[in-house]
Amino acid sequence: MIRVCVDAMGGDEPPEVVLEGIAKALKDHADVEVLVAGDASVVEPFCAKHERAKALVTTEAIGMDEHPADAIRAKRDSSIVRGCEAIRAGEADAFFSAGNTGAVLAAATLKVGRIHGVTRPALMTPIPGLDGHRTVTLDLGANADCKPEMLVQFAQMGSAFAHTVMGVEHPRCALMSNGTEATKGSAQVLEFHALLEEHNGEGYDFAGNCEGVDLLLGNYDVIVADGFTGNVALKTLEGTAKYMVKRIKAAVAKSPRAALGALLLKPALGEVARDLSGDETGGAVLLGCKAPVFIGHGATSANAVYHGILAAKRAVEGGLVERIANSCAAQEQE
Amino acid sequence: MIRVCVDAMGGDEPPEVVLEGIAKALKDHADVEVLVAGDASVVEPFCAKHERAKALVTTEAIGMDEHPADAIRAKRDSSIVRGCEAIRAGEADAFFSAGNTGAVLAAATLKVGRIHGVTRPALMTPIPGLDGHRTVTLDLGANADCKPEMLVQFAQMGSAFAHTVMGVEHPRCALMSNGTEATKGSAQVLEFHALLEEHNGEGYDFAGNCEGVDLLLGNYDVIVADGFTGNVALKTLEGTAKYMVKRIKAAVAKSPRAALGALLLKPALGEVARDLSGDETGGAVLLGCKAPVFIGHGATSANAVYHGILAAKRAVEGGLVERIANSCAAQEQE
């Protein structure tokens, strides 16, 4: 039985959306058990009706705009803090929340704890590309400043995820830079490159530098960057996708011909938009903690929660944490 | 009379494409004179037929893949090197090339020379957003590593361009970061923020941090970043736009319904693609040299060359260089 703790209070949507996703996961997967964290009025009636759902009653909820560190300190009985504590206490194997990303990140690091040997956990998302390919990309903002050894761990953690959860046999890992040549990069990125080259083969297969275009082209399975660069790239990607949809909508408003075209293209456009929404992958994943922690988009959907729970299940079944621990411990021993 | 030197040998396209753009600019604008740099066989017949075209005969051309610094050293009689020398000699007021970006950058810095007070020239492009808004974005890769005072100059140079060439009365300038709050950023970006704040009002109006999504949203007139971050963001933006077009094409190949939709939407999609191609803006601009230097996309078009020449004309007419010199000299005197 795989036990996933789900934060019912997280995200911009009402708890019912999260509960709907949980119900679907429980129905489709008989080996999944869910610990549902949230207000008694939300979680108790739900758990009474679902056999493999267990209530974790909490009295507080952290808002999407609250300061992460302050919030987890002040709201000790929040679904996010209590959920992470339940993981540490061994009451669940993985955590899913569509709540305040910073708060989940802080609570997970503090309460679930880092894997021995991991310097800093990193935020990752598998970016969807052509032909269903997904590029495991990290760090997306957990660490604005990174030391070179952290990039090596990002490569190891990302490769472990690509292998364990996504079934990629030999993931190819690239470093985000401003050119593909090894000589390209800021002074810091050149240091990242040198250390990634030095440890190549220790839990990852380093393919050299890549560029912003590669995030969606599917040439690599894992792309690593410091959290500042990764965050700028991800937000640029999301912004461009949204912009193009807006531009098409603006054209549609001006021309009946374009409106008909958009209607006929809707399934295709919807598919791209859905892919880039992160719903199918359960959003972002915090790698490097003692249990897999999945963070859905604030504007989550029942489908995103469903897929988030399934991704958590695959991570637990595939031994993601053990795999990361082995890679990072090996590096540490040198 | 505005005199623009145009590199006829630059880019992936044959020189005829460049010549077509020059011809159109000469025809539409009686106050434009073009110094056409390139092989005798290319430029002489063209200049014989066009009254305000003057030949600058050169014998070498720098390839798109050549190492910039090596190429400009080895090929002293190339259209790029000779074009920049013509600017220094006062034979033309601005330079346009769709050639090797690095080579143009190196030749311009070396031969045209930096404006007094400018630490390092920066590569800029006005990114097209909704409702025709364009966001002057720099540095796009000329300087992978930047000191905080360089960011202040980027803000000054970008604001001067937005005012002079694009007619924005009071340009609002933002700093690219991983969050809009002033506390967000890498250690280095926090330093950028502090100095931008300190010099606020000295040739630019600082509006604080912005994120990747803002490149296309049109909330700011100028966005500054170090060249590494700017390059990653621009390539991510271009990659995402291309990816979406590919996805739509893939959907079209699978469904006649989608194919019809794409056909009807073609004008709208074409408009977005054209906008993001940079054709209308003449590509990138190197700011900080003693004359405006415009660098077209390698895959240029006659239309891109035409608009590049017009942008160069506006830059000269508006006194872009003087404006930048005034901002940067004022900062230096403090």
Side-chain angles (χ1 to χ4, degrees), chain A residues 128-130 144-145 176-179 185-187 189 211-213 215-217 228-229 231-233 235-237 239-241 243-248 251 257-258 260-265 268-269 271-272 275-276, chain B residues 128-130 144-145 176-179 185-187 189 211-213 215-217 228-229 231-233 235-237 239-241 243-248 251 257-258 260-265 268-269 271-272 275-276:
Chain A
L130 293 169
D145 288 298
M176 179 61 73
S177 190
N178 60 333
S186 60
V189 169
E211 298 182 318
V213 286
L215 288 170
L216 288 162
L217 290 185
F228 179 82
T229 303
N231 189 276
V232 168
K235 283 179 183 160
T236 301
L237 186 154
T240 307
Y243 165 80
M244 290 191 71
V245 170
K246 267 193 198 166
R247 280 292 299 266
I248 291 169
R257 185 186 145 105
L260 179 60
L263 193 68
L264 293 169
L265 254 186
L269 286 173
E271 200 184 284
V272 185
D275 266 12
L276 293 178
Chain B
L130 293 171
D145 287 297
M176 178 62 72
S177 190
N178 61 332
S186 61
V189 170
E211 299 181 320
V213 287
L215 288 170
L216 289 162
L217 290 186
F228 180 83
T229 303
N231 189 277
V232 168
K235 284 180 182 158
T236 300
L237 186 154
T240 306
Y243 165 80
M244 289 191 74
V245 171
K246 268 193 196 166
R247 280 293 298 265
I248 291 169
R257 185 186 147 106
L260 179 61
L263 193 68
L264 293 168
L265 254 186
L269 286 174
E271 200 185 285
V272 185
D275 267 11
L276 293 178

Side-chain angles (χ1 to χ4, degrees), chain A residues 143-156:
Chain A
N143 311 285
D145 288 298
C146 291
K147 295 196 176 114
E149 54 269 31
M150 287 165 68
L151 270 283
V152 170
Q153 295 191 340
F154 296 169
Q156 293 169 330

